[in-house]
Amino acid sequence: MESIEQLRLAFFLSIFFMCAAWEWVAPRKTLTQSKTWRWMNNVSLTALNSLLLTILFPILAVEAAIIAKGTQFGLFHFLELPNIFTILVSLVILDLAIYAQHLVFHRIPALWKLHRMHHADLDIDVTTGARFHPIEIILSMLIKIVIVMMLGIPPIAVVIFEVALNGCAMFNHSNAKLPLKFDNWLRQWLVTPDMHRVHHSKIVKETHSNFGFCLSVWDRLFGTYIAQPQLGHDKVVIGVKDIEDSKEQRLDKMITQPFRY
Ligand SMILES: [Zn+2]
């Protein structure tokens, strides 16, 4: 278990530093806030969230998968499909589940208050990718554990998925430039930073679009896809209406925000 944690941390840090370097070399949009201030608070929130998960949860998604495997619990154990096929199908199903969960967090008012904190970041960059309210993080973990147990998803698929999801979130929140032609090609399969930036626009219709995290197919399939922000990437205003004070980027304010707005 410890080696899995180390592997995950190694992937997280390498992808984080690669995206941070990419943003630094080829920024897509001029930031409106102090980067140091936002980074201090966003990174502190990320650390707090991972600490909370370790303290509050006796088992996390990977352990749930190991238990399901040991007890032969869940749908996949009855189907007896080839291993590689089960892993691939599991990855696609988990990605669809995250898309659906994201959509639900936008549609149900109480859940939107929690998720809105992620959207209240006044700039979008690699640190936004892990800036989620602790209650949203806890709910996501519960949902993931239930899906993993019900389907009997193999532990290796859970590890690959968690690393990929984390990596995709940091990649697609990056304030970095991809050549437009390459972006157009890549977004046929994956959510690119330009595609996800639309989701962080203050224009309501754009906020509630492009819910995908890794695969871009779900938004096209379910009609939630918007190709580009109406104002263009240079001018698109990032954030949500009414939460515009830069004090709201402070750690304690982020945590209490869903109960004040
Ligand atoms: Zn969202």
Side-chain angles (χ1 to χ4, degrees), residues 102-103 105-106 112 115-116 118-119 132 136 173 196 199-200 207-211 213:
H102 190 182
L103 190 109
F105 269 78
H106 273 246
W112 168 240
H115 181 65
R116 188 180 51 190
H118 171 70
H119 284 262
F132 291 96
E136 178 171 0
H173 284 86
H196 195 70
H199 182 74
H200 281 263
T207 310
H208 303 299
S209 73
N210 298 4
F211 297 102
F213 264 92

Side-chain angles (χ1 to χ4, degrees), residues 128-142:
T128 316
R131 178 196 145 121
F132 291 96
H133 195 276
I135 302 177
E136 178 171 0
I137 292 285
I138 290 168
L139 290 175
S140 302
M141 184 51 79
L142 286 172

